[in-house]
Amino acid sequence: MSSPMRGYPRADGRKGIRNVVAVAYLVECAHHVSREIVASARDGDVHLIGFPGCYPNAYAQQMMEKLCTHPNIGAVLLLSLGCESFNKFSLADIVEKSGRPVHTLTIQNDGGSLKTIKAGQAWVQEQLAALRDAPTVPMAVEELIIGTVCGGSDGTSGLTGNPAVGRAFDTLVSAGATCIFEETGELIGCEEIMASRAVTPELGDELRASVAKAATYYATLGYGSFAPGNADGGLSTIEEKSMGAYAKSGSSPISGIVKPGTVPPRGGLYLMDVVPDGEVRYGFPNISDTAEIVELIASGSHMTLFVTGRGSVVGSAIAPVIKVCANPDTYRRMEDDMDVDAGRILEGAASLDEVGAEIFELIQSVAAGAQTKSEALGHREFILTYKSFEPAGPACLPS
Amino acid sequence: MTDPRLLLLSPQDNILVAREPIPAGEAVVVGDHPVTLAARLDRGHKIARQAIRTGEKILKYGAPIGSATQAIAIGDSVHIHNIKSDYTATHVIAKPTTEAKP
């Protein structure tokens, strides 16, 4: 058993399992300056996030607000070029009201690249020193929010890794924790069995509608959420991939549907609806696995369970990623990237329950401070692009 | 008695999943039918548990995962060459034959 979990207390009552300084660029033009600031602080928990677009987008603005006030964040440096549309004033105000140190540098006003980099590096060092002795308080399993994604799926994902995560989710939900699974584009074909697990018939209708929206959206774009590597790994159709992906949700009742950035109101199992509302615009709902991880984090996930068969290597800025490897051959080939060897279930060396229990234990030790493989390797991937959402319907969240 | 290297995930299924790679030419038993594998069956890939007609649903985990685009004989590989999605088409890229297989 790991050491007891402790969290960094935040003004909104949530607790963080990390104390990260976020350096956020608010347009691609400020990306390089931000990267230089982060690169000078490799030894500290300083993570690069940002939004590249110059045009305003309500979704991106809200995502950045939620990410910069995530419980794992201790301080925020905002990098503006100066002429972009992003509302840095509103973002800085929200971060300040959350009780976190925040500072904005504007490259056009602060003397250009070099002077801004120097000023940013100095501010980050001050924050790292101040955060070093930040107090922690005891944290319980029921305070955790855990997200799950799968990526680089193959024919083993739905046999080992995904159902093992489902067992861990069942344990978490019965302990009062909050679990979020996704994504509706990879639940096509599962809508009826999923709807049958909804806590109300109205929520069941919303679950069906969310998958129907995803099917229409992807059909319009001409491709499903299915990569050529999925077929190399033995998956033939999106429905087959979906059935495997669905197993990540476990068997608990489904309490609600959240959209990216909505923090579930209480413990239970939630579906994240990542497919934009309205007419198809801006392109694919999630252009890569990292986009889904970032959305789970924006909804408050302290960490993400990532099931892979082919072998993903990504981690994430802000919140740790636990890599669950479904395929024993992939595990042997890429052991340095994998936290859990779920493929041994196929070889008769462990049961689904045993691997599920191992994942539950690992979640607690990572929450207590143990580094995941991707964290130790310095994987801090991040991506945020344009989307548009409408507010969720009244049946989507428990009252 | 079906070969223990082949997994039946649900009693309704008309396919079996390879628990480990099985080389081409190997004799395996499917139900009580002896069949010889025409090609290597990779881990996680599927073969037909019974004869499947054109247009018939493919069942895995007891759920439909697509439809047969041609008749499939017992013991044949079941994959993108003979089944299709009932939702969106599967996208694959042609690979140079020299690419190393992971």
Side-chain angles (χ1 to χ4, degrees):
Chain A
M1 183 61 206
S2 49
S3 57
M5 292 194 295
R6 297 187 69 82
Y8 297 95
R10 308 299 182 195
D12 62 4
R14 293 188 289 170
K15 294 169 189 168
I17 63 166
R18 298 291 185 270
N19 213 8
V20 170
V21 178
V23 176
Y25 58 93
L26 306 181
V27 62
E28 180 62 19
C29 317
H31 191 159
H32 172 72
V33 164
S34 307
R35 191 166 44 217
E36 289 292 304
I37 294 167
V38 171
S40 72
R42 269 194 84 90
D43 295 338
D45 257 347
V46 182
H47 295 187
L48 180 64
I49 66 173
F51 177 63
C54 191
Y55 302 93
N57 183 246
Y59 158 82
Q61 186 85 29
Q62 193 213 6
M63 285 287 291
M64 289 296 285
E65 290 168 10
K66 298 294 180 179
L67 293 164
C68 289
T69 56
H70 184 279
N72 289 358
I73 297 290
V76 181
L77 178 63
L78 301 178
L79 268 297
S80 159
L81 174 63
C83 44
E84 72 276 2
S85 301
F86 198 97
N87 191 336
K88 61 187 173 189
F89 308 106
S90 153
L91 178 58
D93 188 48
I94 284 168
V95 177
E96 191 177 356
K97 287 198 170 104
S98 80
R100 291 170 174 83
V102 58
H103 186 56
T104 306
L105 290 171
T106 301
I107 299 169
Q108 290 168 350
N109 299 343
D110 288 311
S113 299
L114 276 180
K115 293 191 183 84
T116 309
I117 290 168
K118 280 215 174 83
Q121 288 171 341
W123 194 84
V124 164
Q125 288 305 323
E126 280 171 33
Q127 299 314 309
L128 286 174
L131 293 179
R132 206 157 286 139
D133 301 315
T136 57
V137 294
M139 190 171 177
V141 168
E142 66 190 62
E143 296 178 276
L144 286 172
I145 302 182
I146 307 294
T148 188
V149 292
C150 49
S153 296
D154 69 11
T156 67
S157 299
L159 304 177
T160 62
N162 288 330
V165 163
R167 304 292 164 102
F169 260 29
D170 290 344
T171 307
L172 285 161
V173 169
S174 45
T178 305
C179 292
I180 311 175
F181 72 106
E182 46 81 78
E183 66 127 328
T184 46
E186 295 171 2
L187 293 167
I188 289 169
C190 307
E191 50 276 8
E192 288 305 324
I193 41 172
M194 191 160 67
S196 70
R197 289 168 58 195
V199 290
T200 64
E202 293 76 18
L203 176 62
D205 292 340
E206 292 280 5
L207 288 166
R208 279 189 204 92
S210 71
V211 177
K213 177 179 72 169
T216 304
Y217 211 95
Y218 278 103
T220 306
L221 292 165
Y223 294 106
S225 183
F226 191 102
N230 298 144
D232 293 339
L235 298 174
S236 307
T237 63
I238 183 61
E239 306 92 288
E240 182 179 15
K241 181 176 171 179
S242 296
M243 283 303 302
Y246 174 69
K248 298 196 300 299
S249 66
S251 57
S252 307
I254 298 174
S255 292
I257 302 176
V258 291
K259 297 198 178 180
T262 303
V263 179
R266 69 174 77 111
L269 176 67
Y270 296 81
L271 170 69
M272 175 172 281
D273 177 7
V274 302
V275 175
D277 295 307
E279 65 184 73
V280 175
R281 55 164 80 119
Y282 303 135
F284 282 90
N286 276 319
I287 66 171
S288 61
D289 297 325
T290 293
E292 303 169 41
I293 294 172
V294 168
E295 291 183 331
L296 287 166
I297 294 170
S299 284
S301 296
H302 290 94
M303 71 183 87
T304 307
L305 309 176
F306 189 131
V307 180
T308 185
R310 306 286 293 168
S312 170
V313 300
V314 303
S316 181
I318 301 177
V321 173
I322 290 178
K323 210 67 60 51
V324 178
C325 188
N327 187 321
D329 303 318
T330 304
Y331 184 85
R332 283 186 280 270
R333 204 161 50 234
M334 300 176 67
E335 192 178 342
D336 293 343
D337 287 286
M338 302 299 164
D339 297 288
V340 177
D341 175 15
R344 64 192 207 276
I345 294 166
L346 272 186
E347 297 176 323
S351 68
L352 273 175
D353 284 335
E354 283 165 354
V355 177
E358 179 186 332
I359 295 169
F360 180 64
E361 287 293 315
L362 184 58
I363 288 167
Q364 293 171 81
S365 60
V366 169
Q371 282 203 314
T372 67
K373 294 278 181 74
S374 51
E375 262 188 308
L377 288 166
H379 277 285
R380 289 168 183 174
E381 284 81 355
F382 185 88
I383 196 164
L384 180 60
T385 56
Y386 285 89
K387 278 191 177 185
S388 56
F389 284 98
E390 289 158 17
C396 288
L397 289 177
S399 48
Chain B
M1 178 64 185
T2 295
D3 192 298
R5 294 171 294 181
L6 298 170
L7 285 173
L8 175 63
L9 298 175
S10 171
Q12 303 106 295
D13 289 0
N14 50 13
I15 57 94
L16 298 163
V17 180
R19 179 200 288 271
E20 59 187 83
I22 308 176
E26 189 131 336
V28 297
V29 176
V30 176
D32 47 12
H33 271 72
V35 297
T36 303
L37 293 186
R40 171 188 159 94
L41 189 66
D42 279 318
R43 196 196 292 276
H45 287 238
K46 305 175 287 296
I47 63 168
R49 183 183 173 213
Q50 59 205 51
I52 298 170
R53 296 181 312 275
T54 305
E56 197 175 331
K57 297 282 187 204
I58 308 300
L59 295 176
K60 180 183 179 186
Y61 309 103
I65 60 158
S67 303
T69 55
Q70 59 191 69
I72 304 172
I74 184 167
D76 277 3
S77 158
V78 175
H79 200 20
I80 52 176
H81 62 288
N82 56 12
I83 76 170
K84 66 172 180 62
S85 170
D86 295 322
Y87 290 83
T88 48
T90 295
H91 165 65
V92 293
I93 47 176
K95 288 204 175 74
T97 49
T98 50
E99 186 181 326
K101 196 171 171 54

